[in-house]
Amino acid sequence: MKAIKIILSVLLALLIVIVIAVLLGLRNLDALVEAAIESVGTHVTQTAVTVERVHIELTEAEGALYGLTVANPEGFSQPYIFQVDEVGLQILPSSLTDPVMVLPLVVIDGAQLYAEHANVADINLQQMLKNIQRGEGEEVKATTASPDVRFMVQELRFTNATLHLLSSEFGQRRVDMQDIVLTDLGDSEEGLAPAQLTRAILRPIMDQAREQLEGQVREEAEGALRERLEDELSDDQRDALRSLLGR
């Protein structure tokens, strides 16, 4: 009987220790997620990635990142290439204890991207894409700041973003980016490592921003060339040029 009491006391003590450990882990969860995002993001982009605050509410199966910024690559004047006030996400509760954590929905709304076009060869978006691709295939060693966990994102929405175009030749302007919807990033069996997921999200965003930047620069260059030509042409030649260009 005494032995049973001792065993029960030991089990109760262990249970208390486990509960305390879980509570401390949950209390520090936000800080751990913040550290992981900054560590993995900086590794993938090769520039500083920072987060002001993270709040994960496991009881509601949701979370949010606040004040997410990605620094510009070296050699460009703007401090950031990407910043967003808030990223919302949903968590599938049943996946919390699985090898792959499933996020049914991630929403990046109202992001600001800064595209710098210094000359034909120097475009910050192109440099960022090179940075992202450079470490592809490498795995980030699991640490406290970069845990050995894998993810699946069932749907990601990138909406209402603004692209700020900064060109030494054509000045500055703002354009609305097209919304992006990505589905099935990873799967529930193997998922994606944090670095792989970061690349899967950033690459299409940077690709689209680059395409819009190149399109705007091309239009500006064609417009400047057209004006220069029209200034040097006679009225008849100017009308012929406009007809040829469809304007």
Side-chain angles (χ1 to χ4, degrees):
M1 193 72 177
K2 187 176 181 180
I4 294 176
K5 288 182 179 180
I6 293 173
I7 292 172
L8 289 175
S9 297
V10 171
L11 291 176
L12 180 60
L14 286 174
L15 181 60
I16 292 173
V17 170
I18 292 171
V19 169
I20 292 174
V22 170
L23 290 176
L24 288 175
L26 292 177
R27 185 178 299 173
N28 295 323
L29 180 60
D30 293 349
L32 291 173
V33 172
E34 179 179 333
I37 291 171
E38 293 183 342
S39 174
V40 174
T42 298
H43 172 82
V44 170
T45 64
Q46 298 179 40
T47 65
V49 173
T50 59
V51 182
E52 287 183 3
R53 183 168 63 92
V54 172
H55 181 65
I56 305 295
E57 191 63 64
L58 292 180
T59 57
E60 300 295 331
E62 62 184 22
L65 320 176
Y66 300 96
L68 174 64
T69 63
V70 180
N72 225 348
E74 289 186 9
F76 297 91
S77 60
Q78 194 69 23
Y80 303 117
I81 191 172
F82 177 94
Q83 61 184 146
V84 64
D85 291 337
E86 181 178 349
V87 177
L89 55 91
Q90 296 177 358
I91 304 167
L92 185 64
S94 61
S95 70
L96 288 173
T97 56
D98 292 340
V100 177
M101 184 182 295
V102 178
L103 306 178
L105 179 64
V106 175
V107 178
I108 306 174
D109 187 67
Q112 307 292 311
L113 280 83
Y114 298 88
E116 285 191 59
H117 184 273
N119 53 58
V120 175
D122 296 329
I123 303 175
N124 66 336
L125 296 171
Q126 184 63 44
Q127 183 59 52
M128 179 57 69
L129 283 168
K130 289 180 180 178
N131 290 356
I132 292 171
Q133 293 166 359
R134 191 170 293 143
E136 204 162 11
E138 297 179 0
E139 289 288 347
V140 182
K141 188 176 180 180
T143 64
T144 302
S146 179
D148 186 13
V149 62
R150 304 183 77 84
F151 298 92
M152 174 189 182
V153 176
Q154 294 178 331
E155 182 177 347
L156 181 138
R157 300 175 190 166
F158 182 76
T159 56
N160 302 313
T162 300
L163 179 62
H164 301 261
L165 306 177
L166 312 172
S167 171
S168 57
E169 186 174 355
F170 303 114
Q172 302 182 16
R173 67 169 54 191
R174 295 171 53 181
V175 297
D176 294 331
M177 287 189 64
Q178 297 177 2
D179 291 348
I180 298 174
V181 177
L182 305 174
T183 57
D184 296 331
L185 302 179
D187 57 50
S188 59
E189 296 297 323
E190 296 185 0
L192 296 176
Q196 294 172 322
L197 179 60
T198 302
R199 289 188 179 91
I201 293 172
L202 285 180
R203 187 183 292 109
I205 293 174
M206 293 297 163
D207 265 333
Q208 180 169 300
R210 182 192 59 180
E211 290 175 4
Q212 289 195 236
L213 170 65
E214 291 175 348
Q216 287 291 323
V217 170
R218 192 179 303 113
E219 287 182 11
E220 294 283 357
E222 290 175 354
L225 177 60
R226 187 180 301 110
E227 290 179 3
R228 193 174 304 131
L229 288 173
E230 288 183 353
D231 289 341
E232 298 174 359
L233 297 176
S234 65
D235 290 341
D236 291 341
Q237 290 173 324
R238 192 176 296 117
D239 291 340
L241 176 63
R242 289 173 178 168
S243 175
L244 179 63
L245 296 175
R247 298 190 177 187

